[in-house]
Amino acid sequence: MSTLAPLRLLREPSNASEGNQSNATLGAGGGWCQGLDIPNELFLALGLVSLVENLLVVAAILKNRNLHSPTYYFICCLAVSDMLVSISNLAEMLFMLLLEHGVLVMRPSIVRHMDSVIDMLICSSVVSSLSFLGVIAVDRYITIFYALRYHSIMTLQRAVVTMASVWLASTVSSTVLITYYRSNTILLCLIGFFLFMLVLMLVLYIHMFALARHHLHSISSQQKPPTAHRGGSLKGAVTLTILLGVFFICWGPFFFHLILIVTCPTNPFCTCFFSYFNLFLILIICNSVIDPLIYAFRSQELRRTLREVVTCSW
């Protein structure tokens, strides 16, 4: 069964022996702990769909000059991060199929090197996806609470520096993770980063929703129609909240998997949870499939440009 190479490294704790796994499976309920046998075709199909969707998002943002703003540049970077998930999945699938059918013959050292490259791709996408979701949330927060000063705060130069910093940090951290992936310290850092970004975004969204609710309450009490700015603020907060919810649902099980590796590597119930690793991988790929749909349906400008891109109206 083929799975994403870098995540396969974290399938199970290194100190869990085969005997412990067997005993855990029997003690935790037999058949329930056999996991799910997910066909390779599903990984391949989801990877292709995600790749096409995110390519369309990037093409739409590049095509439409009205979308050449820091906010949409951050969205574009998030789409590229999702593309890395798809590319690494498709590359590994093709790589393994060629090896299994004898079409590609390579030395073990070269195979390990190729596997490390794929590892870095997917790990970079994890860190960059988290980072750009946080950046997008901060950008939307500035748009709502500092609307008059937004263009002086979030300049194009600062946006470029932010994007470059995220990609550099993602590359460095993925290299460290692949090199020391057996270390609990590295796993704790990754878990801590995930929790930090999650708390940061939750705080920002709660504050944004509180402001939107206050505006709606004021409008209702004064019986005035909502302004475009207030309506846009609420729509932006809802959009980013949906993105956060989708990301948490899709990535949460994987990070919970990492927590169990650190806290209870040989516990029968934890070992049983490990057997559903392939399901967690499917959820991760689903996140990269769902994100572009959210952009397309909630942004009228992007939705219009996507139609032009699909019909080749350049």
Side-chain angles (χ1 to χ4, degrees):
M1 171 74 183
S2 174
T3 57
L4 292 177
L7 301 185
R8 187 178 61 241
L9 298 175
L10 304 174
R11 175 187 293 278
E12 61 191 24
S14 58
N15 58 343
S17 65
E18 293 295 332
N20 287 338
Q21 295 171 24
S22 178
N23 293 336
T25 299
L26 292 176
W32 185 75
C33 294
Q34 295 302 316
L36 295 176
D37 185 15
I38 300 177
N40 293 338
E41 290 77 10
L42 182 57
F43 282 96
L44 183 60
L46 288 175
L48 287 173
V49 172
S50 173
L51 180 60
V52 171
E53 286 183 341
N54 286 286
L55 276 174
L56 289 175
V57 171
V58 173
I61 293 175
L62 294 178
K63 178 182 184 296
N64 191 339
R65 292 186 177 275
N66 293 331
L67 302 178
H68 291 184
S69 65
T71 298
Y72 283 100
Y73 285 152
F74 296 146
I75 291 176
C76 183
C77 287
L78 181 58
V80 173
S81 298
D82 289 337
M83 285 172 56
L84 287 178
V85 177
S86 306
I87 292 173
S88 61
N89 179 38
L90 295 174
E92 190 217 14
M93 288 286 296
L94 180 61
F95 187 59
M96 293 189 66
L97 287 175
L98 292 177
L99 288 175
E100 290 174 0
H101 290 80
V103 178
L104 186 63
V105 179
M106 304 176 68
R107 290 181 298 179
S109 59
I110 299 179
V111 173
R112 287 193 297 270
H113 179 71
M114 293 295 295
D115 192 55
S116 296
V117 173
I118 299 176
D119 291 351
M120 290 187 62
L121 279 176
I122 188 66
C123 292
S124 294
S125 72
V126 174
V127 178
S128 59
S129 292
L130 277 168
S131 300
F132 281 117
L133 278 172
V135 170
I136 292 172
V138 172
D139 178 75
R140 177 56 57 182
Y141 185 87
I142 296 174
T143 301
I144 293 177
F145 287 92
Y146 302 95
L148 298 179
R149 297 171 50 199
Y150 174 80
H151 294 290
S152 61
I153 296 176
M154 188 56 69
T155 62
L156 182 59
Q157 181 179 4
R158 289 177 179 173
V160 171
V161 170
T162 299
M163 291 184 289
S165 300
V166 169
W167 285 118
L168 178 61
S170 300
T171 303
V172 173
S173 59
S174 64
T175 303
V176 174
L177 177 61
I178 295 305
T179 305
Y180 303 101
Y181 72 93
R182 294 294 188 183
S183 171
N184 283 348
T185 302
I186 297 299
L187 296 183
L188 286 173
C189 290
L190 184 59
I191 295 169
F193 179 64
F194 173 78
L195 294 176
F196 169 77
M197 296 305 298
L198 181 62
V199 171
L200 172 66
M201 289 184 280
L202 280 174
V203 170
L204 293 179
Y205 294 152
I206 290 174
H207 197 186
M208 284 188 283
F209 271 122
L211 176 65
R213 184 177 180 180
H214 175 72
H215 282 172
L216 292 176
H217 179 73
S218 300
I219 293 170
S220 177
S221 62
Q222 298 174 12
Q223 295 183 348
K224 294 182 179 180
T227 64
H229 174 70
R230 289 169 178 170
S233 299
L234 179 59
K235 182 179 179 180
V238 171
T239 299
L240 292 176
T241 301
I242 293 174
L243 285 172
L244 174 62
V246 169
F247 187 89
F248 179 78
I249 292 173
C250 293
W251 280 100
F254 170 70
F255 279 93
F256 186 61
H257 174 94
L258 297 186
I259 292 174
L260 295 184
I261 286 180
V262 175
T263 59
C264 58
T266 59
N267 182 277
F269 294 99
C270 295
T271 306
C272 188
F273 189 82
F274 298 154
S275 66
Y276 286 86
F277 189 77
N278 287 330
L279 176 61
F280 309 153
L281 299 187
I282 287 294
L283 290 176
I284 290 172
I285 300 175
C286 285
N287 177 75
S288 63
V289 173
I290 295 172
D291 280 352
L293 298 178
I294 297 175
Y295 309 144
F297 284 112
R298 297 198 63 85
S299 172
Q300 184 177 359
E301 184 74 13
L302 184 56
R303 186 168 61 247
R304 181 183 63 81
T305 309
L306 279 173
R307 285 197 297 267
E308 295 177 359
V309 171
V310 172
T311 57
C312 299
S313 301
W314 289 83

